[in-house]
Amino acid sequence: VGTGPGALNQITPAAQVAIAQADVVIGYTLYVDLVHPLLRPGQIVEATPITQERQRAQRAIALAQWGLTVAVVSSGDCGIYGMAGLVLEELRVTGWDGKTPEVQVFPGISALQSGASRVGAPLMHDFCAISLSDLLTPWEMIEKRLHAAAQADFVTALYNPKSQSRTTQIAIAQQIFLQYRDPKTPVAIVRAAYRQDEHIVLTTLADCLDAPIDMLTTVIIGNQSTRLHGDWMITPRGYLGFGS
Amino acid sequence: VGTGPGALNQITPAAQVAIAQADVVIGYTLYVDLVHPLLRPGQIVEATPITQERQRAQRAIALAQWGLTVAVVSSGDCGIYGMAGLVLEELRVTGWDGKTPEVQVFPGISALQSGASRVGAPLMHDFCAISLSDLLTPWEMIEKRLHAAAQADFVTALYNPKSQSRTTQIAIAQQIFLQYRDPKTPVAIVRAAYRQDEHIVLTTLADCLDAPIDMLTTVIIGNQSTRLHGDWMITPRGYLGFGS
């Protein structure tokens, strides 16, 4: 179940009902806390540390195999770098028949969308999402994608741009983009959109490393036509006429 | 206001409130019809033909300048190939100060997400969205992006893959992807997700042109690790171990 950026009024009614009607709600502590107002007395609630995604998926499957309805909550869209894939992947390796336990995926507002909506409309033309985490993906593949995205003028949303132990990737990404795109290209740095601690910086490709960036931040790099207008970041919907 | 795939329970509560509380609701006829249960007596409702996006944005701005609260409804996420960018772009060219009229963007579930959620979890790794419409974008730029996406192994969602007058682009896109990706790469073809006339085909890159495709269809092409498992399309979250 995708729970969006964290505000209750950004969670679809379908996702809210799925959480409220489940026998068990499982998720990373922070995200379980965010949906707390949706929980009912009597539900089993299991909040687990952030690193244990695989164990969480396996636990959900075990409980579902006992006949319980399990809501695995996942921030943003559970289908975008989220828990939906992990649950399905774990089911697949256990020889699941695709039917029992029954699976339903509830999409949610992903970080690139919540971030974009708070700064205007940067995603109005072709875009891509790239995670800078090299935990499960070789760094060479990530670099290849950064070059492809920069060269082909995609608006680009960077997920997991930086962590306490992983600080150089965002600087490399910036350097790659600077090879193809103007240093003045608008960049939005959005953290905790729609939450009380929301923090937004509108900056440029040249200056984007001056802003605070961590694992909960999404970095949105405009394409060659993206412009800042006051506090708004706007990508025109085409290249012909209009906006250039 | 992004109204998602069309089912009311896939529209965020924030977007629902924005529509219900507006003085005026403006949008393409089909999308206004979909949010009909949210409308209140006394609201001004203006449903306009699909091609008149710019006029619709200008009309919304004119009404907002009279002091009315205007909800411009846009299917999917209004910030992804939607009306949010058009409204902001039109405001920008009229010398808007960024403040009056006040603008708020309400994100919604985009077609790539609603489609993905109905077939499993194809977007679990880096992905991109490319519109095949060359109405406002030179075809050379679209081809360049198709090559970049295919070569760098992005999961790729194609928007506007085909219309009555524009039928060759999807075949060219298929040929470009076949240069870099296995003919057996899973492809999902999703039309009208979450609506009564939902139609889904799971197929392969080699066979994807056999399925019915039109303007309301989203085509999702897997990456080199994406697999079909029964009726599910699953992209592993990494390249190391797991799922290959």
Side-chain angles (χ1 to χ4, degrees):
Chain A
V1 182
T3 55
L8 288 178
N9 70 354
Q10 296 290 342
I11 306 178
T12 67
Q16 297 206 16
V17 168
I19 292 167
Q21 293 188 343
D23 301 315
V24 187
V25 177
I26 291 185
Y28 162 49
T29 315
L30 172 64
Y31 303 136
V32 170
D33 287 349
L34 289 170
V35 300
H36 192 263
L38 304 175
L39 302 180
R40 285 180 302 104
Q43 280 182 308
I44 300 167
V45 177
E46 297 195 357
T48 52
I50 194 164
T51 48
Q52 300 182 10
E53 288 88 6
R54 241 180 120 162
Q55 292 89 324
R56 201 179 302 144
Q58 289 165 345
R59 174 71 176 159
I61 292 166
L63 293 167
Q65 283 166 340
W66 291 347
L68 299 172
T69 301
V70 186
V72 181
V73 301
S74 184
S75 75
D77 186 332
C78 57
I80 295 180
Y81 308 117
M83 288 298 298
L86 266 91
V87 170
L88 288 167
E89 189 64 26
E90 286 295 320
L91 280 166
R92 186 171 87 96
V93 298
T94 60
W96 182 49
D97 69 355
K99 294 189 171 65
T100 312
E102 192 186 329
V103 173
Q104 210 178 333
V105 178
F106 294 85
I109 304 297
S110 186
L112 68 87
Q113 300 170 283
S114 50
S117 70
R118 298 296 286 152
V119 298
L123 305 176
M124 278 297 293
H125 212 292
D126 303 335
F127 65 92
C128 64
I130 301 175
S131 167
L132 296 191
S133 169
D134 55 359
L135 211 62
L136 296 169
T137 303
W139 176 250
E140 302 73 54
M141 171 62 93
I142 300 172
E143 275 206 3
K144 186 177 182 181
R145 286 185 178 152
L146 291 168
H147 277 283
Q151 187 162 26
D153 203 37
F154 282 99
V155 178
T156 303
L158 302 178
Y159 281 70
N160 308 312
K162 197 174 179 180
S163 72
Q164 285 194 316
S165 60
R166 202 168 47 69
T167 58
T168 56
Q169 283 87 343
I170 183 68
I172 299 172
Q174 179 205 33
Q175 287 308 314
I176 290 172
F177 271 81
L178 282 170
Q179 291 176 36
Y180 306 94
R181 228 165 275 185
D182 194 303
K184 293 201 194 80
T185 302
V187 170
I189 294 171
V190 184
R191 190 182 189 283
Y194 294 100
R195 297 218 293 270
Q196 293 224 322
D197 52 340
E198 178 183 89
H199 188 72
I200 296 173
V201 177
L202 281 180
T203 178
T204 62
L205 189 54
D207 296 332
C208 65
L209 297 189
D210 299 341
I213 297 177
D214 65 15
M215 276 307 270
L216 295 176
T217 306
T218 307
V219 176
I220 304 176
I221 304 169
N223 70 17
Q224 66 177 54
S225 303
T226 304
R227 293 292 179 272
L228 290 182
H229 182 85
D231 291 336
W232 299 90
M233 180 172 172
I234 310 168
T235 301
R237 61 173 177 158
Y239 285 88
L240 313 176
F242 228 57
S244 53
Chain B
V1 182
T3 56
L8 288 178
N9 70 354
Q10 296 290 340
I11 305 178
T12 68
Q16 298 205 16
V17 168
I19 292 166
Q21 292 188 344
D23 302 314
V24 187
V25 177
I26 291 186
Y28 163 50
T29 316
L30 172 64
Y31 304 135
V32 169
D33 287 349
L34 289 169
V35 299
H36 192 263
L38 303 175
L39 301 180
R40 285 180 304 104
Q43 281 181 309
I44 300 166
V45 178
E46 297 195 358
T48 51
I50 194 164
T51 49
Q52 299 181 8
E53 289 87 6
R54 243 182 119 162
Q55 292 90 324
R56 200 180 301 143
Q58 288 164 346
R59 174 71 176 159
I61 292 166
L63 293 168
Q65 282 166 340
W66 291 348
L68 299 172
T69 302
V70 185
V72 181
V73 301
S74 183
S75 75
D77 186 332
C78 56
I80 295 180
Y81 308 116
M83 288 298 299
L86 266 90
V87 170
L88 288 168
E89 189 64 27
E90 285 296 319
L91 280 166
R92 187 170 87 95
V93 297
T94 60
W96 182 50
D97 69 354
K99 294 189 172 68
T100 312
E102 192 187 320
V103 173
Q104 210 177 334
V105 178
F106 295 85
I109 304 296
S110 186
L112 67 86
Q113 301 170 283
S114 50
S117 71
R118 298 296 286 152
V119 298
L123 304 177
M124 278 297 293
H125 212 293
D126 303 335
F127 64 91
C128 64
I130 301 175
S131 167
L132 295 191
S133 169
D134 55 0
L135 211 62
L136 296 169
T137 303
W139 177 250
E140 303 71 53
M141 172 62 92
I142 301 173
E143 274 206 4
K144 186 177 182 182
R145 286 184 177 152
L146 291 167
H147 277 283
Q151 186 162 26
D153 203 36
F154 282 98
V155 178
T156 303
L158 302 178
Y159 282 70
N160 308 313
K162 197 175 179 179
S163 72
Q164 285 194 316
S165 61
R166 201 168 47 69
T167 58
T168 56
Q169 283 88 343
I170 183 68
I172 299 172
Q174 179 205 34
Q175 288 308 314
I176 290 172
F177 271 81
L178 281 170
Q179 290 176 37
Y180 307 94
R181 227 164 275 186
D182 194 302
K184 293 200 195 81
T185 302
V187 170
I189 294 171
V190 183
R191 190 182 189 283
Y194 294 101
R195 297 218 293 269
Q196 293 224 321
D197 52 339
E198 178 183 88
H199 188 71
I200 296 172
V201 177
L202 281 179
T203 177
T204 63
L205 190 53
D207 295 333
C208 65
L209 298 189
D210 299 342
I213 297 177
D214 65 15
M215 276 306 271
L216 296 175
T217 307
T218 307
V219 176
I220 304 176
I221 304 169
N223 71 16
Q224 66 179 54
S225 303
T226 304
R227 294 290 178 273
L228 291 182
H229 181 85
D231 291 336
W232 299 91
M233 180 171 173
I234 310 169
T235 300
R237 62 172 176 157
Y239 286 87
L240 313 175
F242 228 56
S244 53

